Amino acid sequence: MHAHDPQPMEFGPLGPLQGSTRVPGDKSISHRALMFSALARGRSRIQGLSGGGDVMSTAAAMRAMGATIARAGDGIWEVDGVGTGGLLQPAQALDMGNSGTSTRLLMGLVATHSITATFIGDASLSRRPMNRVIEPLSRTGAEFTASPGGRLPLTVRGICPAAPISHSLKVASAQVKSALLLAGLNTPGVTRVFEPIPTRDHSERMLRHFGVDIQVEERDGGRDIALRGEAELEAREVQVPGDPSSAAFLAAAALIVPGSEVRIEGVSVNPLRAGLFELLQLMGGDIALDNPREVDGEPVADLHVRHSRLRGIQVPAHLVPSMIDEFPIWFVIAAFAEGTSRAGGLGELRVKESDRISAMAAGLAEIGVRAEESPEGLAIEGSGGAAVPGGGTILSQLDHRIAMSFAIAGLHAQRPVRIDDMAPVATSFPAFQSTIEGLAA
């Protein structure tokens, strides 16, 4: 059902990267913009929506549950919502493709509506455990039938009215937090979530933008979030900023390829997402955040990145949650720094689209970089800015970030780096290759 023809590709030096560019709309914000617009009364308009496969999985699911979603002119999407509580019974299984975010957040939505939905996905998504969402959502009264190990295919039987829950997250996770808040929208009373470490707060910011009563208080280094249920979402205009996870690949290329200077316009610099850029500045990276501004409650800036001599670093623990998706590309950047770089506390990377710690360690070895794997992280010996040996074939394991990370490594390698399959890149950054080639022209 999800078989695709692999797209092997080679990446070698293209010379310095120069000029200005934009990246796709932020994936996390795009998912939420579609979901909240679909629950609102009236017509919302979304500008800058990510066109990647993951976000299109969310659009298809919201259509299957009654929302009207259409692409208008000028890259604007129009969504006619069903109102909170108005989701319809989908006629068939909801195909989530490769999108863990779509799956976990929509499980929360379905849990408190009187509908039953079955979630299916590709081979990579079907390996990912869903128990940490199933467990707290079960306390609303919803019922879950999952495949062994809490995996897809998985069926949710929603309940309405549901019971509001108070939940303290054991592991910091924006997806679990968001699933519980989405469940709370159609639940009487107040739903409360405590997170011990602040995680990306796009749901809280955007729910407020749609008129939901949501309160956030700092407590014990974490955050208490309270959402008043049976919320009426009002249709809104939403502008989605550029995706920092996509921008990270272009920033990495500019930092490691001698003579490069790149400007990436309109990128989300939400402090709970922009940890990578802060870390790269600590390593000596020449990265300026120009023209800072706020767009629909989200902080945005233009990134100005120049080739830099980078120093090896131990990643500070407090930055880990705000760059969890960017570690694959950071491992590649570390391969070009002076000395050894280390990161720990990354256990969550073992249950992403692939086991990202093992996949990156194997790939780095393949291109001649010394990396030592530990249960929770990696230590990487850098080249001091020199080109890495390159060569070899990288097994991307259906993981878009692994594929793109090693493509960037190839731009400053002695021999071209071959990626076994670039097809998964379409889930998040369909124009990745043409954007790189455009900057190199």
Side-chain angles (χ1 to χ4, degrees):
M1 176 178 59
H2 278 284
H4 72 267
D5 293 327
Q7 295 173 9
M9 223 168 268
E10 277 196 347
F11 290 82
L14 297 170
L17 306 180
Q18 303 273 347
S20 289
T21 191
R22 300 187 86 86
V23 289
D26 183 275
K27 222 166 48 139
S28 295
I29 296 174
S30 293
H31 286 300
R32 290 159 172 84
L34 283 172
M35 290 179 196
F36 300 163
S37 298
L39 287 178
R41 290 187 184 281
R43 174 172 292 179
S44 295
R45 288 160 55 85
I46 308 170
Q47 194 168 6
L49 191 80
S50 164
D54 284 6
V55 171
M56 293 303 103
S57 294
T58 291
M62 298 318 296
R63 281 192 194 102
M65 292 187 283
T68 306
I69 300 174
R71 188 170 186 157
D74 308 332
I76 289 178
W77 290 74
E78 293 183 340
V79 182
D80 292 318
V82 295
T84 309
L87 293 181
L88 304 179
Q89 172 67 42
Q92 53 214 42
L94 301 175
D95 188 345
M96 300 287 98
N98 187 242
S99 181
T101 303
S102 307
T103 309
R104 294 188 177 111
L105 270 57
L106 290 173
M107 283 165 65
L109 265 190
V110 170
T112 56
H113 283 75
S114 311
I115 59 177
T116 297
T118 297
F119 294 87
I120 59 175
D122 70 5
S124 163
L125 182 62
S126 300
R127 287 195 296 267
R128 300 176 70 177
M130 299 292 159
N131 283 333
R132 62 182 186 186
V133 191
I134 293 173
E135 218 168 274
L137 284 176
S138 298
R139 291 171 39 214
T140 63
E143 290 177 19
F144 295 81
T145 310
S147 299
R151 293 176 166 82
L152 303 191
L154 172 158
T155 300
V156 184
R157 280 177 205 76
I159 185 165
C160 184
I165 63 171
S166 292
H167 183 73
S168 187
L169 293 175
K170 294 177 187 67
V171 177
S173 167
Q175 290 183 358
V176 178
K177 168 179 70 173
S178 296
L180 298 176
L181 294 176
L182 287 174
L185 288 174
N186 196 42
T187 303
V190 176
T191 293
R192 297 180 188 278
V193 181
F194 175 71
E195 52 178 3
I197 299 169
T199 64
R200 56 181 70 173
D201 60 351
H202 303 307
S203 296
E204 298 93 304
R205 288 172 184 265
M206 193 175 288
L207 285 167
R208 207 171 278 129
H209 181 60
F210 275 85
V212 175
D213 178 0
I214 183 165
Q215 308 294 327
V216 180
E217 283 180 22
E218 311 282 329
R219 173 166 73 84
D220 303 336
R223 298 176 350 144
D224 257 321
I225 302 145
L227 180 144
R228 186 162 294 284
E230 296 179 311
E232 290 291 342
L233 282 74
E234 300 297 333
R236 289 287 187 258
E237 301 271 330
V238 181
Q239 188 162 354
V240 180
D243 183 31
S245 299
S246 297
F249 296 101
L250 304 183
L255 285 170
I256 66 180
V257 176
S260 297
E261 182 171 352
V262 170
R263 188 180 186 82
I264 312 162
E265 295 170 359
V267 178
S268 165
V269 289
N270 183 313
L272 296 171
R273 283 290 297 286
L276 176 73
F277 304 124
E278 193 179 325
L279 181 66
L280 294 174
Q281 288 170 331
L282 291 175
M283 294 171 74
D286 186 346
I287 300 182
L289 275 55
D290 295 343
N291 186 19
R293 53 208 185 270
E294 192 165 287
V295 178
D296 294 340
E298 286 282 346
V300 173
D302 303 330
L303 300 182
H304 190 171
V305 190
R306 293 184 185 85
H307 172 249
S308 306
R309 279 187 75 130
L310 301 170
R311 299 180 294 276
I313 197 170
Q314 167 82 46
V315 179
H318 74 274
L319 288 179
V320 169
S322 63
M323 57 177 285
I324 201 72
D325 283 338
E326 285 71 63
F327 272 102
I329 187 60
W330 179 77
F331 294 146
V332 163
I333 294 168
F336 293 92
E338 284 174 18
T340 303
S341 292
R342 290 186 171 80
L346 308 183
E348 191 181 332
L349 294 189
R350 295 205 182 270
V351 291
K352 290 286 190 179
E353 282 84 336
S354 63
D355 176 342
R356 285 183 172 159
I357 296 177
S358 288
M360 289 302 300
L364 289 166
E366 189 72 7
I367 62 169
V369 175
R370 290 183 63 153
E372 197 176 314
E373 188 178 342
S374 63
E376 293 269 315
L378 273 182
I380 295 158
E381 223 171 276
S383 71
V388 295
T393 297
I394 302 297
L395 305 180
S396 62
Q397 302 187 29
L398 296 178
D399 190 330
H400 56 129
R401 297 196 201 281
I402 304 287
M404 286 187 280
S405 297
F406 285 106
I408 296 298
L411 300 179
H412 192 35
Q414 293 162 26
R415 296 193 308 285
V417 173
R418 181 181 165 82
I419 318 287
D420 70 338
D421 187 11
M422 287 296 285
V425 169
T427 64
S428 63
F429 197 166
F432 171 75
Q433 202 184 343
S434 57
T435 303
I436 298 280
E437 287 166 357
L439 290 169

